[in-house]
Amino acid sequence: MSLLFEPTPDGAGRYLDWIVSGLGWTLGLALGAWTIALVVGTLVGVARTLPKGILPRLGRVYVETFRNIPLLVQMFFWYFVLPELLPVRIGMAIKQMDPPWGSFIPALICLGLFTAARIAEQVRAGLQALPQGQIQAASALGFARGRMYRLILLPQAFRIILPTLTNEFMTIFKNTSVALTIGLVELTATAREINENTFRTFEAFGVVTIVYLVIALLAWQIMSRIERAVQLPALAGGSARP
Amino acid sequence: MMVDLSAIAAAMPYLLNGLWFTVQITVVGVTGGIVFGSLLAVARLSRNRIVSSLATAYVNLMRSIPLILVIFWVFFLVPWAIGWMTHSGRPVAVGASLTIFVTFVLFEAAYYAEIVRAGFRSISPGQYAACEALGLSKFHAYIYILFPQAIRNVLPILLTQTIVLFQDTSLVYVISATDLLGAATKVAQRDGRLVEMYLTVGVIYFVICYAASQFVKQLQGRLAYGVR
Amino acid sequence: MIEISHVSKSYGAFQVLKDCCASVARGEVVVICGPSGSGKSTLIKTVNGLETIDSGEINVGGFRLAPDVANVAALRRSVGMVFQSFELFPHLTVLSNVTIAQTKVLKRSRAAAEEKARSLLARVGLSAHIAKYPAQLSGGQQQRVAIARALALDPEVMLFDEPTSALDPEMVNEVLDVMTGLARQGMTMVCVTHEMGFARSVANRVLFMDGGEIVETADAITFFDAPRSERAKTFLAKILKH
């Protein structure tokens, strides 16, 4: 692993700096997309549980669209296709964005909306797992729909789906690697670049693999802490810890 | 900007060829993945500490790293590994297809292993006792009684993972392979028809995956063991 | 036929069997009764090796079971067991449930196995249901299939672990009738059961267990009419109130 401390060809530092930079992009993309995904996913998931109107149907269209097309194809859509479909001036403005932002922004939107579709389904499942009586009791107390979801239903639903959300959180870090195809120099792209520069394949990819393992471990730890912190006594459900 | 449908029609044969490769990767990945994954699941249940630890470590490792990274690992390392094994001292060129098939079997097996493991956990514990009481050998018990029940209990999840696999194949783009997306990219770059090609590919993927997921939903309804 | 000598077993700090001694002659029907947690289930499961023992020895028709004996496969052919939860194989038809151990363990031909299965299923009154799946049968019917499945291997001893405890009351008798028929035909049987009526009319002897020990052994009539130990008297008083 001495590779990390050797100077890079452009003389601007060591390979370790490249790894740190790649890691930074990976983390930034993952956490930014996760935020978008939580907000949009919750809204869409709630929409799908509404009794009538156009919102449930729109929610369904959203989920089916984003779940049945591969992430990479979606990435290409946001990066290559969208600028061409928009009015010429907006399209040009997008295409002239400086790298790396020209790659980061589309990747952020893409990964965020993609993950949102998956979170939406989990939120929907969590809400549908709640006993009917909860909605009835809340209505009887005079709660309007918005407050009812925010204060009564969603807090319970989220506790139910924490295990699957944990899985999704760990997946989003892995999915950031897809952004290398549109030019974002995240962690996996960094490994490839180091390999191309030094031909020390094993070390280059080995270091990056270890970094991903550490990320996975940390992500899992964070979610486990959250699970334990919000756990209701006697209602531990599927994630019971002795 | 107008979408040129004739360009799409002209590229169709090439795209379908790519789709055929995508299907091949999926089939190999599913079969190899389920077989290897089942072995991993059984290994995790083994009383031999070394065997179960190795299997668990493998599954956790594969599930923590991106598929693109695994593709690069196999793509760059397999030639070296074969060179080392045949004592040629230099990397031996290996066909991209073989590399891809190996990658997907190794990677997806970890995911199938978790699903099969959940399947085994869903079997009533008394079933193991009943098999033992009847004197069935461990081998027979797994093949005829436990495995069929485990798979049947998680069949919808297995099928959903297969749809995910089908979508994952698009990532072979990073080694310039000619799957469906790869084919579309090559045509797009050659003819400058990015919008048409990527939109077409998006639609093709959507139609196939949507139909498959609807099928799985129907299957879920029919899989109950039959009510009295 | 069965000789249990000084058998003890512990789960960690908890001793579930304490120096148990008993014997069952060929053709005898022995009922084991006692309060919950007395170790009755554990004791009966040591007889076919489903539970190991920490000390002592068990002899079943010449086969020796001891802490140092590892391979008990041969024993399973001469000892049949019926479980409280039936444990039929849900993905196989009734007929297949009864033939599978015959073909895979005893290596009988398909034809011979099916013939035996049909005759046994007729004996327990279920000929009309051979093509059905367990989920399509009632609890009583499932348990009768389970008895046929165990009998198909021509065992010398049949062990019953609370065979009717999981059944609705109206189905208990159909199973007890089959067991009574078996006893009349001279099968050596050990039954853990709460069905005192059955014990009284069919059993030769009763073993009363409490707290892991065999507290009292007597022939059936004597046990029910004049129990000697205080614990037996208390137990009988409680259950015979109904």
Side-chain angles (χ1 to χ4, degrees), chain B residues 29-99:
Chain B
V30 174
T31 344
I34 292 188
V35 169
F36 186 31
S38 302
L39 289 173
L40 285 169
V42 172
R44 289 184 75 168
L45 296 172
S46 163
R47 278 183 215 162
N48 183 328
R49 277 292 181 84
I50 301 180
V51 167
S52 68
S53 304
L54 279 176
T56 306
Y58 179 89
V59 169
N60 286 336
L61 170 69
M62 279 297 170
R63 286 171 57 100
S64 304
I65 60 181
L67 175 52
I68 293 187
L69 185 59
V70 178
I71 292 177
F72 282 145
W73 265 115
V74 179
F75 184 68
F76 285 118
L77 281 190
V78 163
W80 280 102
I82 301 201
W84 173 77
M85 278 196 285
T86 57
H87 302 288
S88 75
R90 277 183 310 122
V92 175
V94 179
S97 300
L98 186 60
T99 311

Side-chain angles (χ1 to χ4, degrees), chain A residues 138-160:
Chain A
S139 303
L141 284 169
F143 273 99
R145 183 138 345 104
R147 286 252 171 77
M148 174 166 36
Y149 272 98
R150 196 160 55 85
L151 299 171
I152 313 287
L153 302 176
L154 284 174
Q156 294 186 56
F158 270 104
R159 282 180 174 81
I160 296 179

Side-chain angles (χ1 to χ4, degrees), chain C residues 66-200:
Chain C
D68 59 346
V69 175
N71 191 343
V72 294
L75 178 61
R76 305 278 164 69
R77 281 167 226 193
S78 49
V79 180
M81 182 157 217
V82 174
F83 299 86
Q84 179 176 354
S85 48
F86 335 134
E87 297 303 342
L88 290 183
F89 303 134
H91 60 302
L92 300 178
T93 59
V94 163
L95 187 67
S96 297
N97 260 278
V98 181
T99 57
I100 189 163
Q102 294 184 66
T103 51
K104 302 297 167 201
V105 178
L106 298 183
K107 314 271 195 254
R108 283 184 191 154
S109 73
R110 222 141 214 209
E114 279 192 20
E115 199 188 306
K116 175 119 200 157
R118 280 174 209 275
S119 86
L120 279 172
L121 287 165
R123 211 165 119 193
V124 299
L126 290 170
S127 297
H129 304 278
I130 46 180
K132 292 202 182 147
Y133 286 90
Q136 296 170 290
L137 303 179
S138 73
Q141 291 169 326
Q142 289 188 50
Q143 193 63 301
R144 285 188 274 153
V145 174
I147 296 176
R149 181 176 68 173
L151 288 174
L153 301 183
D154 294 317
E156 298 178 313
V157 177
M158 280 286 279
L159 305 176
F160 292 84
D161 186 8
E162 304 213 35
T164 55
S165 296
L167 294 176
D168 290 335
E170 66 265 21
M171 293 188 262
V172 166
N173 279 332
E174 67 194 60
V175 174
L176 291 181
D177 286 343
V178 170
M179 290 167 67
T180 308
L182 261 183
R184 298 255 158 79
Q185 280 157 359
M187 173 67 75
T188 311
M189 290 163 60
V190 180
C191 312
V192 173
T193 183
H194 296 300
E195 294 295 328
M196 296 297 116
F198 169 81
R200 210 176 167 128

